[in-house]
Amino acid sequence: MTTRRTVLKGLAASAASSLMGPSLLSQSASAATSSAGTWRLTGSHWGAVEALVKGGKVTEVKPYKNDPSPTDMVNGIKGVIYNPSRVKYPMARADWLDNRENADRTTRGDNRFVRVTWDEAIDLFYEELERVQTTYGPSGLFAGATGWRQTGMFHTCINHMNRGVSMHGNYVRKVGDYSTGAGQTILPYVIGNTEVYSQGTSWPVILEESDTVVLWASDPLKNLQVGWTCETHESLPYLDQMRDKIAAGELRVISVDPVRTKTQNHTGAEHKYINPQTDVAFMLALAHTLYTEELHDTEFLEIYTLGFEKFISYVTGQDDGIEKSPEWAAPICGISADDIREFARLLAGGRTQFLFGWSLQRQQHGEQPYWMGTILSAMLGQVGLPGGGVSYSHHYSGIGVPESGANMPGAFPLNLDLGKVPEHDSEDFNGASGVIPVARWIDMLLEPGGHVQHNGHDITYPDVKMCVFTGCNPWHHHQDRNKMRRAWTKLETVVSIDFAWTATSRHSDLVLPACTQFERNDIDTYGGYSNTGVIAMPKLVDPLYQSKTDFEIFTMLTKRFGRHNEYTRGMTEMQWVRESYETTRTANAGRFEMPPFDEFWEQGLVTFERGENWVRHADYRADPELNALGTPSGFIEISSRTIEKFGYDDCGAHPKWMEKLERSHGGPVSDKYPLWMQSCHPDQRLHSQMCESDEYRATYTVQGREPVWMSPQDAEARGLADGDLVRVYNDRGQLLAGVRVSDNFAPGVVRIHEGAWYGPEDASIGALDTYGDPNTLTLDVGTSKLAQATSANTCLVEIEKFEGIAPSVTAFGGPGEVTL
Ligand SMILES: Nc1nc2c(c(=O)[nH]1)N[C@H]1C(S)=C(S)[C@@H](COP(=O)(O)OP(=O)(O)OC[C@H]3O[C@@H](n4cnc5c(=O)[nH]c(N)nc54)[C@H](O)[C@@H]3O)O[C@H]1N2
Ligand SMILES: Nc1nc2c(c(=O)[nH]1)N[C@H]1C(S)=C(S)[C@@H](COP(=O)(O)OP(=O)(O)OC[C@H]3O[C@@H](n4cnc5c(=O)[nH]c(N)nc54)[C@H](O)[C@@H]3O)O[C@H]1N2
Ligand SMILES: [Mo]
């Protein structure tokens, strides 16, 4: 068997001529010191990297030498540390500092900030928490929106904020996330697990056993460049193997996507173009063909599933008079009836592995295609077979790389210590809910006391007056900027903790400068799901300007009410890091040897043998009773009594085709706004992170703006050429972007990557966004009453050439400093 270590050795050896320096386990910081500076290994979302520190500055960053497939984004890392958008000092919004809750809230975002000292800033933060808790109670505070904080288990800033603020009082929290909100809600009813964050069948098994792999709305080559913890990129060589197998005729890979993806182009996979947002129609017609041609596995359905009859009577039209035949689906999904039938026969003709991406469920009724994915695999009878069945996660954080089985370091405790209560211990939310579905929080601000259905519960929106944000950028991640701007006037106080002057920082009242991960000591998991190793993250440089670690910031805050010793447990940063490592070492003792801490810190990385291959759902297949699924019945639920009982009109007893509020290719609103805008995850960023990296941003911008990708046909029809500046607009907003014409895009399909920094011309509602944040245009409605997740990819736009003098980009460089 090829072990993890032999793989790495092999890689190191093959590249030996171009590499200097020590072997895997002696990537020592001190060993590499010379007059030319010190090379240090550290971890990040973008992989392990080596940084040259010279004269107190990071002067160069390159991929870790054993990274099998480094991302180009490593070239943006230096610019995350050094850029004009860093928050240098604590700052307060000028009008708010004078008038607090009586300040003019319509001027948030007008970029008038005043510098304050750290002491003043922490006083202000504490005073506002006190005021809100005593005046309104816990329903007045929202501190639950969290996101892609930089890596490092100890400094995980979300946990620092939660622990620090929790010591002071209770607050409104969120449930779910933007990534997989619909998927993680529907799948437990269908297949007993969220699936989206679960380990998947090992790649070697898929490559060996599958006849056909369907990449359904999935672009792993793009999305596996980053990981939730330090990414190893071990999954990427499997995509090279996939390419080789396709070339050798040993494997068919089909990408079902409106766009020709990076993965498809790299591997030579076949393209099955589909009209955006119409996958469910296509899937129902596939089910129809499998059923009418008797290609479905009746035995599997009988033993392992419930509710097939009810579903199939919808497919055959017995219950609503509409047969979901290929002829019915063809005009909706843009795939001919013959091609649909042929595709169904191909799926049934051998071992078929579905690999679903997540974008598909970030659209209205996003629950439905996920439910259908399980049903198609069940009809094929392949759930739990090696190289067959369904996965919803292989494009994420190294899922599918065989696990080592080792324990990994734990994170900083996010909750109060056992038995402790907050300073303000009221749990009275004034009759409102203390937990709300994450993507509905702008509705919450707009409709206090309003109701919304969510996953079988009736949620009452609390009357929130203050928000605290850290490690997330809601003025990038949430939909419909102008609606957000209206909601924002409702808030008395907004506190942001970040190292960058993001749009969220600019729309805050108090901004506290955190430092980046490169300015603190930490420890991280190397390989999010593979648990390949533990990596040291030594501080490269001291915190820049007046920035501080999140740990220091919340130590200062908790000191205001005398609980800092409880917060820190009396330990320093290095003591926490050391303890985290030693606890892991003890847990692994006897199974995975780890050197003592000092040795680890010196060598930088400890890795473990790679584990055995594994097949998802194989245990269920082997014994469905002993290994019952987590669904209400324990079986795969093709129809769900539980969901049916909720009585929702937009998510019923079984999957259905439902028209969207906006849909291109002849769907609603397409006469006015004919172009579907997808806001997929960026190839050269992690969401909004790294957008501030000026030099790196310049490698992809067009006339200094975010690119909008479009087909040659759509460009020609509008008299546009590659490199043109355009206005992209709909009834919700408008933005400037730069045209990139590409054959990868079909007519009617355009893309602006999420995470482009929002830079409105001014603070008015409807203002032109000068850089190109797609969420200036997206629709802010829940996927359905079940999940209430984001529907970002249900969005139509029109594009026109921008004539005249273009306003300069306002998104970067931080706000103006005023003196009062
Ligand atoms: N480089 C990079 N990688 C990342 C991230 C990042 O910011 N940058 N973010 C990470 C995070 S947090 C997440 S949640 C994941 C996101 O992972 P995903 O949500 O899976 O990724 P996306 O890039 O949004 O979309 C993947 C594909 O879905 C296709 N698609 C969109 N709509 C439809 C549709 O209606 N039908 C079909 N058939 N296909 C459709 C798109 O064309 C695209 O090719 O990525 C992770 N990886
Ligand atoms: N239209 C559209 N919108 C989307 C999506 C989409 O596909 N389309 N995708 C959605 C998805 S899946 C996701 S996951 C979200 C991502 O949304 P977010 O997670 O909010 O996006 P990030 O840009 O990663 O924001 C992280 C912020 O934390 C800050 N930060 C990083 N590390 C630290 C730290 O250690 N301390 C402090 N104090 N701050 C830190 C960074 O500077 C940055 O501002 O976006 C969602 N929004
Ligand atoms: Mo995400």
Side-chain angles (χ1 to χ4, degrees):
M1 197 190 99
T2 314
T3 65
R4 160 82 193 150
R5 203 154 284 161
T6 52
V7 168
L8 285 180
K9 271 191 195 137
L11 283 165
S14 65
S17 58
S18 61
L19 287 168
M20 296 195 342
S23 67
L24 174 67
L25 288 178
S26 60
Q27 184 53 49
S28 135
S30 54
T33 306
S34 76
S35 59
T38 306
W39 281 101
R40 282 168 188 256
L41 178 71
T42 190
S44 77
H45 286 304
W46 304 280
V49 295
E50 299 178 56
L52 180 62
V53 184
K54 218 155 111 180
K57 221 181 154 200
V58 176
T59 57
E60 203 182 321
V61 181
K62 63 182 186 189
Y64 172 47
K65 64 183 166 61
N66 287 326
D67 188 323
S69 191
T71 165
D72 181 64
M73 281 184 262
V74 168
N75 295 316
I77 290 181
K78 209 172 68 176
V80 171
I81 313 173
Y82 306 107
N83 67 74
S85 305
R86 279 289 299 248
V87 184
K88 297 191 173 87
Y89 328 101
M91 290 190 106
R93 193 166 71 85
D95 191 40
W96 176 85
L97 188 60
D98 268 354
N99 302 304
R100 298 285 186 97
E101 67 269 28
N102 300 315
D104 179 357
R105 302 172 198 159
T106 60
T107 55
R108 276 205 193 97
D110 72 355
N111 293 325
R112 289 165 40 85
F113 278 84
V114 180
R115 199 169 149 178
V116 292
T117 66
W118 263 112
D119 257 0
E120 287 164 340
I122 297 293
D123 281 344
L124 288 165
F125 189 6
Y126 174 56
E127 281 167 22
E128 286 301 290
L129 287 174
E130 271 294 304
R131 184 180 66 77
V132 167
Q133 289 289 353
T134 38
T135 319
Y136 307 108
S139 63
L141 178 65
F142 181 72
T146 48
W148 273 68
R149 89 295 179 248
Q150 288 189 333
T151 57
M153 296 313 280
F154 169 62
H155 284 292
T156 289
C157 64
I158 299 162
N159 294 27
H160 286 278
M161 190 267 281
N162 277 319
R163 184 170 168 84
V165 176
S166 292
M167 281 184 176
H168 183 264
N170 296 316
Y171 50 86
V172 178
R173 294 166 197 255
K174 57 110 191 181
V175 60
D177 58 40
Y178 287 81
S179 310
T180 65
Q184 65 177 261
T185 308
I186 186 76
L187 291 176
Y189 293 108
V190 175
I191 193 163
N193 187 287
T194 70
E195 295 292 319
V196 289
Y197 301 127
S198 301
Q199 184 55 279
T201 299
S202 305
W203 277 109
V205 176
I206 294 176
L207 291 169
E208 200 48 47
E209 304 290 340
S210 306
D211 298 306
T212 304
V213 171
V214 183
L215 287 168
W216 206 308
S218 180
D219 195 356
L221 188 62
K222 171 169 74 65
N223 293 37
L224 288 169
Q225 293 177 91
V226 304
W228 175 248
T229 62
C230 179
E231 181 52 51
T232 63
H233 299 128
E234 286 165 286
S235 35
L236 293 174
Y238 294 121
L239 297 177
D240 294 340
Q241 292 176 27
M242 180 183 270
R243 176 195 57 203
D244 297 344
K245 287 204 169 253
I246 293 171
E250 293 165 9
L251 177 67
R252 279 186 81 171
V253 179
I254 302 171
S255 171
V256 181
D257 204 301
V259 177
R260 218 183 286 150
T261 65
K262 191 174 176 179
T263 309
Q264 192 207 327
N265 286 328
H266 176 78
T267 58
E270 300 160 53
H271 190 195
K272 179 62 73 188
Y273 166 83
I274 185 165
N275 284 339
Q277 305 190 84
T278 65
D279 300 74
V280 172
F282 178 43
M283 291 162 138
L284 287 167
L286 291 173
H288 183 276
T289 305
L290 292 176
Y291 183 72
T292 53
E293 298 191 4
E294 295 181 13
L295 298 170
H296 62 306
D297 185 334
T298 48
E299 198 188 350
F300 184 90
L301 291 171
E302 206 154 293
I303 300 173
Y304 296 97
T305 76
L306 279 184
F308 181 68
E309 297 71 22
K310 189 167 186 148
F311 165 73
I312 212 67
S313 73
Y314 167 74
V315 171
T316 54
Q318 258 171 298
D319 78 348
D320 66 354
I322 301 167
E323 203 175 339
K324 312 305 174 303
S325 65
E327 283 71 20
W328 164 82
I332 303 173
C333 68
I335 302 172
S336 74
D338 284 348
D339 284 357
I340 295 174
R341 286 199 172 86
E342 200 185 305
F343 195 74
R345 290 172 199 142
L346 171 73
L347 299 179
R351 191 64 59 82
T352 299
Q353 175 76 55
F354 292 105
L355 303 179
F356 283 93
W358 295 342
S359 222
L360 182 61
Q361 47 90 63
R362 249 180 263 116
Q363 56 175 246
Q364 210 191 356
H365 313 131
E367 297 86 354
Q368 308 297 311
Y370 266 36
W371 199 343
M372 276 307 301
T374 298
I375 295 178
L376 287 177
S377 332
M379 287 182 77
L380 296 174
Q382 297 194 7
V383 176
L385 286 180
V390 64
S391 157
Y392 299 91
S393 59
H394 274 79
H395 62 290
Y396 183 67
S397 286
I399 282 174
V401 176
E403 281 178 43
S404 71
N407 288 289
M408 291 292 120
F412 183 73
L414 81 167
N415 293 319
L416 294 188
D417 288 348
L418 211 61
K420 300 281 167 58
V421 290
E423 291 298 290
H424 296 269
D425 61 357
S426 166
E427 289 176 14
D428 179 3
F429 285 82
N430 290 326
S433 309
V435 180
I436 58 142
V438 63
R440 299 276 57 79
W441 67 286
I442 291 297
D443 286 345
M444 167 192 83
L445 294 181
L446 287 168
E447 306 156 27
H451 288 262
V452 68
Q453 295 303 308
H454 176 238
N455 202 13
H457 300 279
D458 182 63
I459 303 284
T460 307
Y461 289 135
D463 193 0
V464 167
K465 306 288 187 183
M466 173 173 176
C467 288
V468 181
F469 299 112
T470 189
C472 66
N473 183 4
W475 280 75
H476 118 67
H477 74 217
H478 195 70
Q479 287 57 64
D480 197 343
R481 263 331 138 249
N482 290 305
K483 177 175 166 186
M484 235 175 129
R485 190 176 282 290
R486 280 196 302 277
W488 225 239
T489 58
K490 205 246 147 177
L491 288 166
E492 294 176 356
T493 298
V494 182
V495 178
S496 231
I497 307 159
D498 205 307
F499 45 78
W501 273 112
T502 61
T504 302
S505 301
R506 287 169 182 263
H507 288 85
S508 297
D509 300 309
L510 180 64
V511 181
L512 307 179
C515 63
T516 70
Q517 63 160 89
F518 306 100
E519 298 150 60
R520 60 198 192 196
N521 290 298
D522 216 327
I523 182 171
D524 206 22
T525 294
Y526 184 55
Y529 284 81
S530 58
N531 294 352
T532 297
V534 179
I535 189 164
M537 296 174 64
K539 183 201 276 194
L540 303 179
V541 292
D542 286 330
L544 263 59
Y545 312 106
Q546 287 188 8
S547 68
K548 291 182 186 295
T549 67
D550 297 276
F551 176 60
E552 285 178 281
I553 293 170
F554 282 96
T555 304
M556 288 167 74
L557 177 76
T558 49
K559 198 166 183 178
R560 290 294 189 276
F561 48 96
R563 289 180 74 163
H564 52 294
N565 287 331
E566 180 191 332
Y567 177 77
T568 62
R569 292 184 180 163
M571 295 197 294
T572 62
E573 173 192 70
M574 272 321 281
Q575 284 170 330
W576 276 96
V577 172
R578 181 182 288 267
E579 185 186 86
S580 172
Y581 179 83
E582 289 297 353
T583 308
T584 314
R585 188 161 83 105
T586 308
N588 283 326
R591 295 191 308 132
F592 300 93
E593 285 318 312
M594 295 171 72
F597 179 76
D598 292 325
E599 217 175 292
F600 157 72
W601 197 251
E602 173 76 8
Q603 69 191 30
L605 175 65
V606 51
T607 57
F608 309 113
E609 299 283 310
R610 189 179 271 184
E612 299 296 322
N613 286 333
W614 185 77
V615 175
R616 182 148 195 87
H617 303 127
D619 57 343
Y620 175 62
R621 189 175 188 100
D623 191 334
E625 271 162 26
L626 199 63
N627 304 314
L629 299 175
T631 54
S633 64
F635 297 103
I636 291 173
E637 299 207 1
I638 290 176
S639 303
S640 164
R641 293 272 296 139
T642 315
I643 296 178
E644 185 177 19
K645 280 189 201 145
F646 296 154
Y648 297 152
D649 54 356
D650 49 8
C651 188
H654 53 75
K656 279 188 181 166
W657 163 248
M658 285 173 273
E659 189 50 276
K660 315 297 163 203
L661 283 169
E662 298 181 9
R663 187 170 65 75
S664 56
H665 302 87
V669 192
S670 62
D671 48 346
K672 188 169 179 199
Y673 295 114
L675 304 171
W676 175 65
M677 184 193 76
Q678 55 165 226
S679 41
C680 287
H681 287 230
D683 191 27
Q684 289 185 281
R685 270 196 309 263
L686 173 59
H687 313 298
S688 72
Q689 295 186 60
M690 210 166 259
C691 202
E692 70 263 43
S693 197
D694 284 355
E695 210 178 299
Y696 192 59
R697 189 174 69 250
T699 64
Y700 59 82
T701 49
V702 178
Q703 295 197 36
R705 325 283 157 154
E706 183 72 9
V708 54
W709 298 86
M710 62 198 298
S711 66
Q713 296 89 334
D714 285 326
E716 201 192 333
R718 289 162 182 77
L720 299 172
D722 193 84
D724 278 352
L725 198 60
V726 287
R727 191 173 78 99
V728 186
Y729 63 97
N730 60 21
D731 290 343
R732 289 178 290 274
Q734 50 169 343
L735 59 80
L736 285 183
V739 173
R740 278 280 168 258
V741 177
S742 163
D743 283 334
N744 291 333
F745 291 80
V749 176
V750 304
R751 171 187 294 191
I752 302 181
H753 286 128
E754 54 111 15
W757 279 27
Y758 177 59
E761 239 186 324
D762 54 54
S764 68
I765 287 174
L768 179 69
D769 172 21
T770 59
Y771 179 69
D773 168 10
N775 280 322
T776 307
L777 303 167
T778 49
L779 175 68
D780 180 27
V781 299
T783 49
S784 81
K785 296 185 178 73
L786 191 84
Q788 292 291 1
T790 178
S791 299
N793 285 318
T794 297
C795 176
L796 298 189
V797 302
E798 181 52 291
I799 298 183
E800 65 181 22
K801 193 162 182 158
F802 184 81
E803 310 280 4
I805 301 163
S808 49
V809 175
T810 67
F812 307 100
E817 192 177 327
V818 297
T819 39
L820 291 177

